[in-house]
Amino acid sequence: MVALVRTVAYLGLEARAVEVQCQVAPGLPRFAVVGLPDKAVGESRERVQAALSAMGLALPPKRITVNLSPADLPKEGSHYDLPIALALLAAMGVTDAEQLTEYIAVGELALDARIVPSPGALLAAIHASEQECGLICPRAQGAEAKWASEVPVIAAPDLASLLNHLKGTQRLPDPKPGEIEANAPGPDLKRVKGQETAKRALEIAAAGGHNLLMIGPPGAGKSLLASCLPGILPDLSPAEALEVSMVQSVAGTLEEGRISRARPFRAPHHSASMAALTGGGLKVKPGEVSLAHLGVLFLDELPEFQRPVLDSLRQPLETGKVDVARANAHVSFPARVQLVAAMNPCRCGHLGDPALACSRAPRCAADYQSRVSGPMLDRIDLHVEVDPVSAADLALPPPAEGSAEVAARVRAARERQTARFEDSGARSNAELDGDALDRFAEPDEAGRKLLMQAADAMRLSARGYVRILRVARTIADLAGAETVGRIHIAEALSYRRQAPRA
């Protein structure tokens, strides 16, 4: 007899159907798992055997073969334990094989037959919804799985409870969707003394989803400004929150099924490797740029990152996704992020202060800033100088306008963009391209003339030209203007880094 149980294989944010086939046949006793299993899947034999033994069940002295079909698709992860165990129990006649065809099963087995969490339950639930079937998963991930539409979910704490539920002798409670986390309070812009230009650039970046680079000496408030950005960004929509949670589910960071409407904020250390930043590894996992999807990726001390690591972000910043190529698989993760970076003007950080600058100034500034490639800098929409803050500035009372007032303007600007781009597919001005850019960001005659003059004087690339139009459109949205005018172009140009002369 051959018993069949359905499960999934994860490739990026895609769940592919996998059929677990189990045959118990006469022959020399053995337990084999075939179908391109990795080390974790191969070891499931020992976990399944120990779990059945803990329940008082012994494997029959026969030849047991488990095939993971399709056999040419690599199988990775511990979530195959539960479907393998259920297929084996069905082949042994312990449970109803026909009943199991109505479900997709995922979960890792402990040696005492507990069903413990494994990454990707939300993706499996969404796949089950598409296939119009139910899901069997660990009890700890039932709340996570219930976010996927109205999928029938059996969330079992252990294998014995699951078998009793399937037989009808025990009723497992129906899981409920996890809680929506309240946004954690962050630093308020009222804490930032002075820095009006930088705060204006931060507001524009938040309103349009633009990339931002802050350059200034140590202690000027660059990190504080970046940490204030989540407090002025609009909440994720329900669809966006589910999209972000799918990435967290694959990464195994979605705790107790709690979904947050706050935009992700990731700040990796400058010692991060390329795999940590863009994703990859022996078992391909999303990197920091994907974990920050639809949120903020903050890179402090930008030149201290390894240059190949920084340049690996060039494609994600342009396309909004990361493609991880391996010999046996090609995996894509979403990476639509807003990059916020901070750097000192030179290694000592005091280029503009003759009393503190090192003896190599100003040559040290050119050497230090050249660690970041020109194409990388060209992908950053807003470049702003952050001046040092004096003791007199710190002694002043807090500014009257804080994060709440700025967030209201940002929210209004985003609402204008949502209404405008309803049919174009763009989420914000930072994603404008092609016909949509020509239609919505075309400046008036005076603005166009200024832009053409500046494009020649500043030696703008085609990418830089487009990004100035996007920023100008955001500035116009903050002002409530329907048309991009000369004043909006002028302000957008003031935040653009000029290419050096040959």
Side-chain angles (χ1 to χ4, degrees), residues 54-70:
M55 296 171 56
L57 297 174
L59 295 181
K62 296 183 179 182
R63 186 178 64 194
I64 301 172
T65 305
V66 174
N67 179 44
L68 306 177
S69 176

Side-chain angles (χ1 to χ4, degrees), residues 165-324:
H165 178 87
L166 293 173
K167 290 179 180 179
T169 59
Q170 179 183 351
R171 176 68 179 175
L172 292 174
D174 292 331
K176 297 181 179 179
E179 298 178 355
I180 298 178
E181 286 186 337
N183 294 353
D188 195 285
L189 279 173
K190 287 185 177 181
R191 289 180 52 186
V192 181
K193 304 289 183 69
Q195 308 297 8
E196 296 305 319
T197 302
K199 286 194 284 188
R200 171 62 175 173
L202 194 72
E203 180 179 344
I204 296 171
H210 303 289
N211 301 328
L212 170 66
L213 172 63
M214 294 178 284
I215 305 175
K222 303 184 296 295
S223 299
L224 177 59
L225 281 163
S227 64
C228 291
L229 181 56
I232 63 175
L233 286 172
D235 289 344
L236 294 167
S237 69
E240 290 175 334
L242 186 63
E243 195 174 335
V244 169
S245 298
M246 289 169 64
V247 180
Q248 296 172 344
S249 178
V250 171
T253 60
L254 193 61
E255 298 179 358
E256 299 179 5
R258 292 194 298 267
I259 287 183
S260 175
R261 296 287 296 275
R263 295 186 180 272
F265 183 87
R266 307 289 297 189
H269 191 261
H270 58 74
S271 61
S273 65
M274 188 181 300
L277 203 60
T278 61
L282 183 61
K283 296 179 181 178
V284 181
K285 292 288 186 181
E288 291 291 331
V289 69
S290 295
L291 292 171
H293 178 56
L294 299 181
V296 178
L297 178 66
F298 176 48
L299 302 183
D300 201 5
E301 307 297 346
L302 187 67
E304 299 298 335
F305 284 81
Q306 298 178 38
R307 185 160 182 168
V309 173
L310 278 184
D311 286 343
S312 69
L313 292 177
R314 284 155 57 175
Q315 183 210 15
L317 289 177
E318 201 70 24
T319 64
K321 66 176 182 176
V322 172
D323 294 316
V324 181

